Every structure is written in C-alpha cells, then in structure tokens.
Amino acid sequence: MALSHPQGRPQGRPRILVTRKLPDAVEARLQRDYDATLNPADSVFDGDRLVTESAGHDGILLCSTEKLPATVIEKLPAEVRIAATFSVGHDHIDLAASKARGLTVTNTPDVLTDATADIAFLLLLAAARRAYEGERTIREDRWGRWSPTTMLGVHVTGKRLAILGMGRIGRAVAQRARGFEMEIHYSNRSRLAPELEQGAIFHDDPEDLLTVADFLSINCPSTRETHHFLNAERIARMPDGAVVVNTARGNIVHDDSLISALKSGKLAAAGLDVFENEPAIHPGYRDLPNCFLLPHIGSATLETRHAMGFRALDNLDAFFAGKPPRDRLA
Ligand code: DGY
C-alpha cells in the first residue's frame, strides 16, 4: 500500500486507534497494513478516553457505540485526521464539526443492506404472527391443545407496507415485500426514478404515508427532522391494528407513544431492533407480549461484519494513499 497524504503522510505505517473488538479477519488486515491499537477486551470508550487514547494516532476506527459530538471533536489531538466508522449510520458523529476541524469521516454503506433488510422482515413477520408469545408458550411448557381461536396474528400477504426512507435498505425491504405480494408505499426526501420505485407508490408527505401503513417499516436516517417522528399524533393517523418495524435508529420513535399504542391495541404489534438510549431501553417494552425485540443485530452476520470492516479499511487505505475515500461524509 502506498503511504502518502497531501498534508504530509505519517512516517511508517499509519497509526489507527480501533475502539471495538472487530472480527478476526478485519483485525488481521488492520495489523498487516497499519500500526493498529486494538481493543481486545472490547472495553468502553467514552469521549474523554477517545481524546486521551487517540494521541499519537493518525486515525480512529470507531463504531456507532462511540460518540463524536463537537465537544469531543474539538479536543481530538491534531494528528488525528480521519474517523472511519464501522457503520452506515453516522448520527453519532457531528459532521459539521468534523468539517470545521478538518477531520475526514467515512462510513460503510451498501454492504449491510441485505442483512438489515432480512432482519426488518424477520421483525415484521415475528411481530405480525406473535412469534415471541408462541416461542414462550413452548419454552414454558404451556402449549395446550391446538386451537382454532388462539394466537391469531395479523395477516401479512397482500397488505400495505409503508416504508419511511427509501434508500438502499428501504428498497431492499420493498424487494422482500414483493415476495409477499404487499402493496408498497413510501416516503423519501425525493421521489425515486421509476426503475428504483418498481411500482411503489410515493407519498410526498410522510403524514399521508402513515394513513396507508398496515405495516410501517422505518428505514430513514436519524436526523433532527426524524427525531421522535413516530409520536402519538402520528400513530393516531395509522390504521387500527397496524404493525411497526424499526431497524433504523431508536430515537426516530417516541417510546412512550409507541408503548401506549401497543398497550391500548391501537397498534397490533411492533418489531424493534433499535432503541433510543440502547442498551438502556425504555423498560416499558420488556413486558409487552406484542413486541418482538432484538438487540441491534441488523448487520450481524459474519459476512456482513467482514464486509463492513473491509469497507472501512478501504476508506482508510484510500485516505492514506492520498486518494478520496469512496464513502467520505466529511
Ligand atoms: C449501522 O451500520 O448503522 C448499524 O446500525 C450498526 O451501527
């Protein structure tokens, strides 16, 4: 690998601080090409630790679990010139502050699209068909006779699926939904070209999208505009007995509103892989039988985690070779 950088490349291999334990193959490539400080204990990096331990490093390879707000970015040692995040989401990094400080930021889009869309569908089906209750019945040895009237779920095939955010992952969810003959509706910052839309019905106003959401799949990024988007007023616009699925970011949902709609029966069920303040999630979710919960594992397949790591490394390689990183955000 050529080691050069317009602003003066580091002597020897670039030094990279890695904040989390990464898959072996990713760490092997890191150690082959970089002077990498790994975190084999996977211990927690808060802002202060990031600032202190990044001293003497040319870049940081972090995850969405490490926050880079303006207050931390401003204190980073001058030698830190790039933050490559092992995630597609980048709401944990203040991009404006990064630009102002001259910190290059990259992410890992594309490579986790299928894994995340698979989990969205798992959540959708599990929530609709009461998978948590059924599983529990068997594990707790409470399964009586087969019954025509118990464990009745929500029918999926042929229903209307509303996708909030029709980027790569939203479109991959739509592709899976076509196999279930669902009618696909979506809302997005801009309308997609017909070849990407593939017959999906565009709603300019997300408020209108909600009115047709027998199923709502949240696939938009977390931004100031989408923060607590799904609140009580918006849930009220949804059809009675709808199902909500979230594989994007927890803070797009207002937890108290969702929990009370699941309790009242306004919503039939929810399937959630992401939560506000995870892992310290709203305790109200834990007791809800009509909520299928996963611990943020949308991208958790070995193939995907390898691809995310290699994509982050491709970005670092490009940066230190003086080329524009493919996934540059700032
Ligand atoms: C992502 O890549 O954004 C996943 O949610 C993991 O952080």
mmCIF file with all atom_site columns, all heavy atoms in Angstrom, residues 29 106-111 306-316 326-327:
data_model
loop_
_atom_site.group_PDB
_atom_site.id
_atom_site.type_symbol
_atom_site.label_atom_id
_atom_site.label_alt_id
_atom_site.label_comp_id
_atom_site.label_asym_id
_atom_site.label_entity_id
_atom_site.label_seq_id
_atom_site.pdbx_PDB_ins_code
_atom_site.Cartn_x
_atom_site.Cartn_y
_atom_site.Cartn_z
_atom_site.occupancy
_atom_site.B_iso_or_equiv
_atom_site.pdbx_formal_charge
_atom_site.auth_seq_id
_atom_site.auth_comp_id
_atom_site.auth_asym_id
_atom_site.auth_atom_id
_atom_site.pdbx_PDB_model_num
ATOM 1   N N   . ARG A 1 29  ? -6.179  -7.824  8.801  1.00 0.00 ? 29  ARG A N   1
ATOM 2   C CA  . ARG A 1 29  ? -5.824  -6.859  7.736  1.00 0.00 ? 29  ARG A CA  1
ATOM 3   C C   . ARG A 1 29  ? -5.359  -5.533  8.337  1.00 0.00 ? 29  ARG A C   1
ATOM 4   O O   . ARG A 1 29  ? -4.418  -4.912  7.840  1.00 0.00 ? 29  ARG A O   1
ATOM 5   C CB  . ARG A 1 29  ? -7.025  -6.661  6.796  1.00 0.00 ? 29  ARG A CB  1
ATOM 6   C CG  . ARG A 1 29  ? -6.673  -5.802  5.606  1.00 0.00 ? 29  ARG A CG  1
ATOM 7   C CD  . ARG A 1 29  ? -7.794  -5.745  4.591  1.00 0.00 ? 29  ARG A CD  1
ATOM 8   N NE  . ARG A 1 29  ? -7.899  -4.390  4.059  1.00 0.00 ? 29  ARG A NE  1
ATOM 9   C CZ  . ARG A 1 29  ? -8.823  -3.977  3.233  1.00 0.00 ? 29  ARG A CZ  1
ATOM 10  N NH1 . ARG A 1 29  ? -9.757  -4.815  2.798  1.00 0.00 ? 29  ARG A NH1 1
ATOM 11  N NH2 . ARG A 1 29  ? -8.855  -2.722  2.813  1.00 0.00 ? 29  ARG A NH2 1
ATOM 12  N N   . THR A 1 106 ? -15.673 8.793   7.291  1.00 0.00 ? 106 THR A N   1
ATOM 13  C CA  . THR A 1 106 ? -16.215 7.843   6.305  1.00 0.00 ? 106 THR A CA  1
ATOM 14  C C   . THR A 1 106 ? -17.134 6.855   7.010  1.00 0.00 ? 106 THR A C   1
ATOM 15  O O   . THR A 1 106 ? -17.016 6.649   8.221  1.00 0.00 ? 106 THR A O   1
ATOM 16  C CB  . THR A 1 106 ? -15.093 7.059   5.598  1.00 0.00 ? 106 THR A CB  1
ATOM 17  O OG1 . THR A 1 106 ? -14.390 6.280   6.585  1.00 0.00 ? 106 THR A OG1 1
ATOM 18  C CG2 . THR A 1 106 ? -14.115 7.968   4.881  1.00 0.00 ? 106 THR A CG2 1
ATOM 19  N N   . ASN A 1 107 ? -18.029 6.228   6.228  1.00 0.00 ? 107 ASN A N   1
ATOM 20  C CA  . ASN A 1 107 ? -18.909 5.187   6.791  1.00 0.00 ? 107 ASN A CA  1
ATOM 21  C C   . ASN A 1 107 ? -18.870 3.953   5.884  1.00 0.00 ? 107 ASN A C   1
ATOM 22  O O   . ASN A 1 107 ? -17.999 3.859   4.998  1.00 0.00 ? 107 ASN A O   1
ATOM 23  C CB  . ASN A 1 107 ? -20.332 5.732   6.990  1.00 0.00 ? 107 ASN A CB  1
ATOM 24  C CG  . ASN A 1 107 ? -21.050 6.009   5.688  1.00 0.00 ? 107 ASN A CG  1
ATOM 25  O OD1 . ASN A 1 107 ? -20.435 6.162   4.635  1.00 0.00 ? 107 ASN A OD1 1
ATOM 26  N ND2 . ASN A 1 107 ? -22.366 6.088   5.737  1.00 0.00 ? 107 ASN A ND2 1
ATOM 27  N N   . THR A 1 108 ? -19.785 3.008   6.110  1.00 0.00 ? 108 THR A N   1
ATOM 28  C CA  . THR A 1 108 ? -19.757 1.737   5.347  1.00 0.00 ? 108 THR A CA  1
ATOM 29  C C   . THR A 1 108 ? -21.123 1.436   4.728  1.00 0.00 ? 108 THR A C   1
ATOM 30  O O   . THR A 1 108 ? -21.802 0.486   5.157  1.00 0.00 ? 108 THR A O   1
ATOM 31  C CB  . THR A 1 108 ? -19.345 0.566   6.263  1.00 0.00 ? 108 THR A CB  1
ATOM 32  O OG1 . THR A 1 108 ? -20.310 0.436   7.316  1.00 0.00 ? 108 THR A OG1 1
ATOM 33  C CG2 . THR A 1 108 ? -17.965 0.759   6.862  1.00 0.00 ? 108 THR A CG2 1
ATOM 34  N N   . PRO A 1 109 ? -21.554 2.213   3.739  1.00 0.00 ? 109 PRO A N   1
ATOM 35  C CA  . PRO A 1 109 ? -22.870 1.935   3.138  1.00 0.00 ? 109 PRO A CA  1
ATOM 36  C C   . PRO A 1 109 ? -22.848 0.675   2.274  1.00 0.00 ? 109 PRO A C   1
ATOM 37  O O   . PRO A 1 109 ? -21.787 0.074   2.095  1.00 0.00 ? 109 PRO A O   1
ATOM 38  C CB  . PRO A 1 109 ? -23.103 3.177   2.276  1.00 0.00 ? 109 PRO A CB  1
ATOM 39  C CG  . PRO A 1 109 ? -21.741 3.653   1.926  1.00 0.00 ? 109 PRO A CG  1
ATOM 40  C CD  . PRO A 1 109 ? -20.850 3.317   3.096  1.00 0.00 ? 109 PRO A CD  1
ATOM 41  N N   . ASP A 1 110 ? -23.970 0.292   1.762  1.00 0.00 ? 110 ASP A N   1
ATOM 42  C CA  . ASP A 1 110 ? -24.172 -0.816  0.798  1.00 0.00 ? 110 ASP A CA  1
ATOM 43  C C   . ASP A 1 110 ? -24.040 -2.208  1.416  1.00 0.00 ? 110 ASP A C   1
ATOM 44  O O   . ASP A 1 110 ? -24.908 -3.041  1.229  1.00 0.00 ? 110 ASP A O   1
ATOM 45  C CB  . ASP A 1 110 ? -23.178 -0.768  -0.396 1.00 0.00 ? 110 ASP A CB  1
ATOM 46  C CG  . ASP A 1 110 ? -23.304 0.517   -1.189 1.00 0.00 ? 110 ASP A CG  1
ATOM 47  O OD1 . ASP A 1 110 ? -24.437 0.958   -1.400 1.00 0.00 ? 110 ASP A OD1 1
ATOM 48  O OD2 . ASP A 1 110 ? -22.264 1.080   -1.564 1.00 0.00 ? 110 ASP A OD2 1
ATOM 49  N N   . VAL A 1 111 ? -22.905 -2.422  2.118  1.00 0.00 ? 111 VAL A N   1
ATOM 50  C CA  . VAL A 1 111 ? -22.557 -3.800  2.467  1.00 0.00 ? 111 VAL A CA  1
ATOM 51  C C   . VAL A 1 111 ? -23.480 -4.416  3.524  1.00 0.00 ? 111 VAL A C   1
ATOM 52  O O   . VAL A 1 111 ? -23.474 -5.637  3.704  1.00 0.00 ? 111 VAL A O   1
ATOM 53  C CB  . VAL A 1 111 ? -21.086 -3.892  2.921  1.00 0.00 ? 111 VAL A CB  1
ATOM 54  C CG1 . VAL A 1 111 ? -20.154 -3.650  1.759  1.00 0.00 ? 111 VAL A CG1 1
ATOM 55  C CG2 . VAL A 1 111 ? -20.778 -2.913  4.050  1.00 0.00 ? 111 VAL A CG2 1
ATOM 56  N N   . HIS A 1 306 ? -17.597 -8.702  8.155  1.00 0.00 ? 306 HIS A N   1
ATOM 57  C CA  . HIS A 1 306 ? -16.338 -8.660  7.399  1.00 0.00 ? 306 HIS A CA  1
ATOM 58  C C   . HIS A 1 306 ? -16.397 -7.544  6.364  1.00 0.00 ? 306 HIS A C   1
ATOM 59  O O   . HIS A 1 306 ? -15.481 -6.735  6.242  1.00 0.00 ? 306 HIS A O   1
ATOM 60  C CB  . HIS A 1 306 ? -16.092 -9.992  6.674  1.00 0.00 ? 306 HIS A CB  1
ATOM 61  C CG  . HIS A 1 306 ? -15.554 -11.070 7.577  1.00 0.00 ? 306 HIS A CG  1
ATOM 62  N ND1 . HIS A 1 306 ? -15.556 -12.396 7.245  1.00 0.00 ? 306 HIS A ND1 1
ATOM 63  C CD2 . HIS A 1 306 ? -14.982 -10.996 8.804  1.00 0.00 ? 306 HIS A CD2 1
ATOM 64  C CE1 . HIS A 1 306 ? -15.010 -13.096 8.226  1.00 0.00 ? 306 HIS A CE1 1
ATOM 65  N NE2 . HIS A 1 306 ? -14.665 -12.267 9.189  1.00 0.00 ? 306 HIS A NE2 1
ATOM 66  N N   . ALA A 1 307 ? -17.498 -7.522  5.623  1.00 0.00 ? 307 ALA A N   1
ATOM 67  C CA  . ALA A 1 307 ? -17.623 -6.530  4.543  1.00 0.00 ? 307 ALA A CA  1
ATOM 68  C C   . ALA A 1 307 ? -17.591 -5.107  5.111  1.00 0.00 ? 307 ALA A C   1
ATOM 69  O O   . ALA A 1 307 ? -17.002 -4.195  4.502  1.00 0.00 ? 307 ALA A O   1
ATOM 70  C CB  . ALA A 1 307 ? -18.909 -6.768  3.759  1.00 0.00 ? 307 ALA A CB  1
ATOM 71  N N   . MET A 1 308 ? -18.196 -4.895  6.277  1.00 0.00 ? 308 MET A N   1
ATOM 72  C CA  . MET A 1 308 ? -18.171 -3.560  6.892  1.00 0.00 ? 308 MET A CA  1
ATOM 73  C C   . MET A 1 308 ? -16.735 -3.176  7.275  1.00 0.00 ? 308 MET A C   1
ATOM 74  O O   . MET A 1 308 ? -16.272 -2.063  7.033  1.00 0.00 ? 308 MET A O   1
ATOM 75  C CB  . MET A 1 308 ? -19.077 -3.523  8.129  1.00 0.00 ? 308 MET A CB  1
ATOM 76  C CG  . MET A 1 308 ? -20.549 -3.615  7.802  1.00 0.00 ? 308 MET A CG  1
ATOM 77  S SD  . MET A 1 308 ? -21.570 -3.958  9.253  1.00 0.00 ? 308 MET A SD  1
ATOM 78  C CE  . MET A 1 308 ? -21.536 -2.392  10.112 1.00 0.00 ? 308 MET A CE  1
ATOM 79  N N   . GLY A 1 309 ? -16.040 -4.144  7.873  1.00 0.00 ? 309 GLY A N   1
ATOM 80  C CA  . GLY A 1 309 ? -14.658 -3.875  8.276  1.00 0.00 ? 309 GLY A CA  1
ATOM 81  C C   . GLY A 1 309 ? -13.772 -3.597  7.073  1.00 0.00 ? 309 GLY A C   1
ATOM 82  O O   . GLY A 1 309 ? -12.970 -2.640  7.073  1.00 0.00 ? 309 GLY A O   1
ATOM 83  N N   . PHE A 1 310 ? -13.941 -4.397  6.024  1.00 0.00 ? 310 PHE A N   1
ATOM 84  C CA  . PHE A 1 310 ? -13.089 -4.207  4.842  1.00 0.00 ? 310 PHE A CA  1
ATOM 85  C C   . PHE A 1 310 ? -13.417 -2.880  4.146  1.00 0.00 ? 310 PHE A C   1
ATOM 86  O O   . PHE A 1 310 ? -12.542 -2.221  3.603  1.00 0.00 ? 310 PHE A O   1
ATOM 87  C CB  . PHE A 1 310 ? -13.228 -5.388  3.879  1.00 0.00 ? 310 PHE A CB  1
ATOM 88  C CG  . PHE A 1 310 ? -12.764 -6.698  4.475  1.00 0.00 ? 310 PHE A CG  1
ATOM 89  C CD1 . PHE A 1 310 ? -13.334 -7.914  4.102  1.00 0.00 ? 310 PHE A CD1 1
ATOM 90  C CD2 . PHE A 1 310 ? -11.754 -6.737  5.435  1.00 0.00 ? 310 PHE A CD2 1
ATOM 91  C CE1 . PHE A 1 310 ? -12.916 -9.114  4.664  1.00 0.00 ? 310 PHE A CE1 1
ATOM 92  C CE2 . PHE A 1 310 ? -11.318 -7.932  6.005  1.00 0.00 ? 310 PHE A CE2 1
ATOM 93  C CZ  . PHE A 1 310 ? -11.910 -9.122  5.617  1.00 0.00 ? 310 PHE A CZ  1
ATOM 94  N N   . ARG A 1 311 ? -14.681 -2.526  4.193  1.00 0.00 ? 311 ARG A N   1
ATOM 95  C CA  . ARG A 1 311 ? -15.066 -1.243  3.564  1.00 0.00 ? 311 ARG A CA  1
ATOM 96  C C   . ARG A 1 311 ? -14.454 -0.070  4.349  1.00 0.00 ? 311 ARG A C   1
ATOM 97  O O   . ARG A 1 311 ? -13.964 0.901   3.771  1.00 0.00 ? 311 ARG A O   1
ATOM 98  C CB  . ARG A 1 311 ? -16.594 -1.151  3.548  1.00 0.00 ? 311 ARG A CB  1
ATOM 99  C CG  . ARG A 1 311 ? -17.158 0.031   2.830  1.00 0.00 ? 311 ARG A CG  1
ATOM 100 C CD  . ARG A 1 311 ? -17.288 -0.207  1.339  1.00 0.00 ? 311 ARG A CD  1
ATOM 101 N NE  . ARG A 1 311 ? -18.016 0.892   0.735  1.00 0.00 ? 311 ARG A NE  1
ATOM 102 C CZ  . ARG A 1 311 ? -18.974 0.769   -0.165 1.00 0.00 ? 311 ARG A CZ  1
ATOM 103 N NH1 . ARG A 1 311 ? -19.316 -0.431  -0.619 1.00 0.00 ? 311 ARG A NH1 1
ATOM 104 N NH2 . ARG A 1 311 ? -19.586 1.816   -0.655 1.00 0.00 ? 311 ARG A NH2 1
ATOM 105 N N   . ALA A 1 312 ? -14.486 -0.177  5.679  1.00 0.00 ? 312 ALA A N   1
ATOM 106 C CA  . ALA A 1 312 ? -13.861 0.880   6.496  1.00 0.00 ? 312 ALA A CA  1
ATOM 107 C C   . ALA A 1 312 ? -12.366 0.937   6.197  1.00 0.00 ? 312 ALA A C   1
ATOM 108 O O   . ALA A 1 312 ? -11.783 2.027   6.087  1.00 0.00 ? 312 ALA A O   1
ATOM 109 C CB  . ALA A 1 312 ? -14.105 0.603   7.977  1.00 0.00 ? 312 ALA A CB  1
ATOM 110 N N   . LEU A 1 313 ? -11.741 -0.229  6.023  1.00 0.00 ? 313 LEU A N   1
ATOM 111 C CA  . LEU A 1 313 ? -10.301 -0.260  5.726  1.00 0.00 ? 313 LEU A CA  1
ATOM 112 C C   . LEU A 1 313 ? -10.011 0.271   4.320  1.00 0.00 ? 313 LEU A C   1
ATOM 113 O O   . LEU A 1 313 ? -8.997  0.948   4.114  1.00 0.00 ? 313 LEU A O   1
ATOM 114 C CB  . LEU A 1 313 ? -9.765  -1.682  5.887  1.00 0.00 ? 313 LEU A CB  1
ATOM 115 C CG  . LEU A 1 313 ? -9.647  -2.130  7.353  1.00 0.00 ? 313 LEU A CG  1
ATOM 116 C CD1 . LEU A 1 313 ? -9.263  -3.584  7.454  1.00 0.00 ? 313 LEU A CD1 1
ATOM 117 C CD2 . LEU A 1 313 ? -8.621  -1.269  8.075  1.00 0.00 ? 313 LEU A CD2 1
ATOM 118 N N   . ASP A 1 314 ? -10.890 -0.023  3.366  1.00 0.00 ? 314 ASP A N   1
ATOM 119 C CA  . ASP A 1 314 ? -10.712 0.542   2.018  1.00 0.00 ? 314 ASP A CA  1
ATOM 120 C C   . ASP A 1 314 ? -10.690 2.072   2.102  1.00 0.00 ? 314 ASP A C   1
ATOM 121 O O   . ASP A 1 314 ? -9.917  2.736   1.422  1.00 0.00 ? 314 ASP A O   1
ATOM 122 C CB  . ASP A 1 314 ? -11.854 0.125   1.077  1.00 0.00 ? 314 ASP A CB  1
ATOM 123 C CG  . ASP A 1 314 ? -11.819 -1.363  0.730  1.00 0.00 ? 314 ASP A CG  1
ATOM 124 O OD1 . ASP A 1 314 ? -10.783 -2.016  0.996  1.00 0.00 ? 314 ASP A OD1 1
ATOM 125 O OD2 . ASP A 1 314 ? -12.840 -1.864  0.213  1.00 0.00 ? 314 ASP A OD2 1
ATOM 126 N N   . ASN A 1 315 ? -11.566 2.616   2.937  1.00 0.00 ? 315 ASN A N   1
ATOM 127 C CA  . ASN A 1 315 ? -11.611 4.073   3.088  1.00 0.00 ? 315 ASN A CA  1
ATOM 128 C C   . ASN A 1 315 ? -10.326 4.603   3.717  1.00 0.00 ? 315 ASN A C   1
ATOM 129 O O   . ASN A 1 315 ? -9.785  5.620   3.282  1.00 0.00 ? 315 ASN A O   1
ATOM 130 C CB  . ASN A 1 315 ? -12.831 4.480   3.920  1.00 0.00 ? 315 ASN A CB  1
ATOM 131 C CG  . ASN A 1 315 ? -14.122 4.356   3.123  1.00 0.00 ? 315 ASN A CG  1
ATOM 132 O OD1 . ASN A 1 315 ? -14.179 4.766   1.964  1.00 0.00 ? 315 ASN A OD1 1
ATOM 133 N ND2 . ASN A 1 315 ? -15.149 3.781   3.715  1.00 0.00 ? 315 ASN A ND2 1
ATOM 134 N N   . LEU A 1 316 ? -9.837  3.907   4.742  1.00 0.00 ? 316 LEU A N   1
ATOM 135 C CA  . LEU A 1 316 ? -8.575  4.333   5.359  1.00 0.00 ? 316 LEU A CA  1
ATOM 136 C C   . LEU A 1 316 ? -7.422  4.210   4.358  1.00 0.00 ? 316 LEU A C   1
ATOM 137 O O   . LEU A 1 316 ? -6.577  5.105   4.249  1.00 0.00 ? 316 LEU A O   1
ATOM 138 C CB  . LEU A 1 316 ? -8.270  3.473   6.602  1.00 0.00 ? 316 LEU A CB  1
ATOM 139 C CG  . LEU A 1 316 ? -9.158  3.725   7.825  1.00 0.00 ? 316 LEU A CG  1
ATOM 140 C CD1 . LEU A 1 316 ? -8.895  2.682   8.910  1.00 0.00 ? 316 LEU A CD1 1
ATOM 141 C CD2 . LEU A 1 316 ? -8.933  5.128   8.384  1.00 0.00 ? 316 LEU A CD2 1
ATOM 142 N N   . ARG A 1 326 ? -13.914 6.453   -0.788 1.00 0.00 ? 326 ARG A N   1
ATOM 143 C CA  . ARG A 1 326 ? -15.180 6.225   -1.502 1.00 0.00 ? 326 ARG A CA  1
ATOM 144 C C   . ARG A 1 326 ? -16.394 6.706   -0.693 1.00 0.00 ? 326 ARG A C   1
ATOM 145 O O   . ARG A 1 326 ? -17.356 7.209   -1.246 1.00 0.00 ? 326 ARG A O   1
ATOM 146 C CB  . ARG A 1 326 ? -15.262 4.705   -1.741 1.00 0.00 ? 326 ARG A CB  1
ATOM 147 C CG  . ARG A 1 326 ? -16.503 4.212   -2.385 1.00 0.00 ? 326 ARG A CG  1
ATOM 148 C CD  . ARG A 1 326 ? -16.295 2.725   -2.616 1.00 0.00 ? 326 ARG A CD  1
ATOM 149 N NE  . ARG A 1 326 ? -17.466 2.095   -3.148 1.00 0.00 ? 326 ARG A NE  1
ATOM 150 C CZ  . ARG A 1 326 ? -17.542 0.780   -3.343 1.00 0.00 ? 326 ARG A CZ  1
ATOM 151 N NH1 . ARG A 1 326 ? -16.529 0.004   -3.056 1.00 0.00 ? 326 ARG A NH1 1
ATOM 152 N NH2 . ARG A 1 326 ? -18.644 0.263   -3.829 1.00 0.00 ? 326 ARG A NH2 1
ATOM 153 N N   . ASP A 1 327 ? -16.349 6.506   0.602  1.00 0.00 ? 327 ASP A N   1
ATOM 154 C CA  . ASP A 1 327 ? -17.538 6.790   1.426  1.00 0.00 ? 327 ASP A CA  1
ATOM 155 C C   . ASP A 1 327 ? -17.315 7.996   2.326  1.00 0.00 ? 327 ASP A C   1
ATOM 156 O O   . ASP A 1 327 ? -17.618 7.963   3.515  1.00 0.00 ? 327 ASP A O   1
ATOM 157 C CB  . ASP A 1 327 ? -17.880 5.559   2.269  1.00 0.00 ? 327 ASP A CB  1
ATOM 158 C CG  . ASP A 1 327 ? -17.997 4.309   1.428  1.00 0.00 ? 327 ASP A CG  1
ATOM 159 O OD1 . ASP A 1 327 ? -18.733 4.344   0.424  1.00 0.00 ? 327 ASP A OD1 1
ATOM 160 O OD2 . ASP A 1 327 ? -17.348 3.295   1.755  1.00 0.00 ? 327 ASP A OD2 1
#
